[in-house]
Amino acid sequence: MKKKKVYIIIFLILIGIILFSILIVGNKINDSILHSDEIQITAKLREDDFAIHSGKQTIKKDLELNITVNNLKDAKGSLTLYPIINNANRLSFNSYEENNYYQPSSIGGSGFLNARVEEILRNENIESNNIDLSLFAIPISGEKGVLYLRAYMNKKNDSIELNNPVLVCLYNIEIFGFDFLWHKVIPIELEK
């Protein structure tokens, strides 16, 4: 009988250690994940004639998109912005931009993330006519702080209005082989 009590006590102690370990690991994971309320994003779109100087070349653009990202904590994982602006193409950045605007090292998203954004657009009834998401994905830093980003685009057709542009923010992190994702849809304010 005493042996049985010893085994039960050992078993309960092991269960306690396992539960305590899970709690500690869970807290560590939670601290490294960026939650949707820990990031604030605003976006403004302005239509005008813009000239981007790139070395000896001058490129004309019709649209200027200004994005401010306020990330309240450092986080692991990937953070990608997708400007969904119908009637816009040729997303680009000006490497000679003043005021230290963020310059992504590349643009484009993975097939997995692009498929998720397409699903989000369908589920939220957001029109995205002929937008190639792989050319409109902007990976950004997950570091804590304020990030300013300025992108330029061309209108496909001058006679078509820019209707209800939005910015989709997609966060993705892999935890123990599972993808943890969340998204935010931010309306883009049209400046006159």
Side-chain angles (χ1 to χ4, degrees):
M1 196 66 163
K2 279 189 174 188
K3 264 188 171 181
K4 193 173 184 181
K5 282 185 181 181
V6 170
Y7 288 134
I8 290 173
I9 291 172
I10 291 173
F11 178 74
L12 291 175
I13 290 172
L14 286 174
I15 294 294
I17 290 171
I18 290 170
L19 290 175
F20 183 73
S21 299
I22 289 172
L23 182 65
I24 298 239
V25 169
N27 260 349
K28 291 283 184 195
I29 290 171
N30 191 42
D31 287 345
S32 68
I33 293 175
L34 182 66
H35 299 279
S36 63
D37 61 342
E38 296 172 327
I39 190 165
Q40 300 155 344
I41 301 172
T42 59
K44 295 180 181 182
L45 184 66
R46 191 164 57 117
E47 190 175 348
D48 204 346
D49 291 324
F50 301 98
I52 298 174
H53 303 288
S54 177
K56 296 179 182 178
Q57 187 179 20
T58 300
I59 303 166
K60 294 189 185 267
K61 295 290 184 175
D62 304 318
L63 303 169
E64 177 187 79
L65 177 63
N66 287 292
I67 301 170
T68 303
V69 178
N70 185 7
N71 195 347
L72 302 177
K73 79 173 197 182
D74 283 323
K76 295 178 180 173
S78 69
L79 197 55
T80 309
L81 302 177
Y82 289 84
I84 307 300
I85 304 168
N86 288 312
N87 192 34
N89 63 3
R90 297 188 187 149
L91 177 72
S92 61
F93 299 88
N94 184 356
S95 58
Y96 297 102
E97 195 75 66
E98 300 171 12
N99 299 327
N100 296 324
Y101 282 94
Y102 175 75
Q103 296 285 319
S105 57
S106 65
I107 59 172
S110 70
F112 171 74
L113 294 180
N114 292 347
R116 293 293 303 185
V117 171
E118 287 172 359
E119 183 181 320
I120 291 163
L121 296 174
R122 268 192 314 276
N123 291 344
E124 301 213 12
N125 297 320
I126 297 170
E127 188 178 331
S128 61
N129 295 337
N130 302 320
I131 295 176
D132 185 349
L133 292 176
S134 63
L135 299 176
F136 271 73
I138 308 167
I140 63 170
S141 168
E143 293 178 11
K144 181 179 180 178
V146 179
L147 181 130
Y148 300 99
L149 184 130
R150 179 175 283 163
Y152 297 92
M153 291 159 278
N154 288 103
K155 286 180 78 173
K156 291 179 189 175
N157 185 335
D158 285 336
S159 64
I160 298 175
E161 297 240 358
L162 301 168
N163 290 328
N164 305 318
V166 296
L167 185 68
V168 176
C169 175
L170 186 64
Y171 175 74
N172 178 44
I173 187 169
E174 188 176 308
I175 302 170
F176 300 123
F178 296 98
D179 286 306
F180 172 75
L181 293 122
W182 59 254
H183 73 277
K184 274 184 160 182
V185 176
I186 298 102
I188 296 175
E189 179 185 331
L190 294 173
E191 289 185 328
K192 299 290 176 185

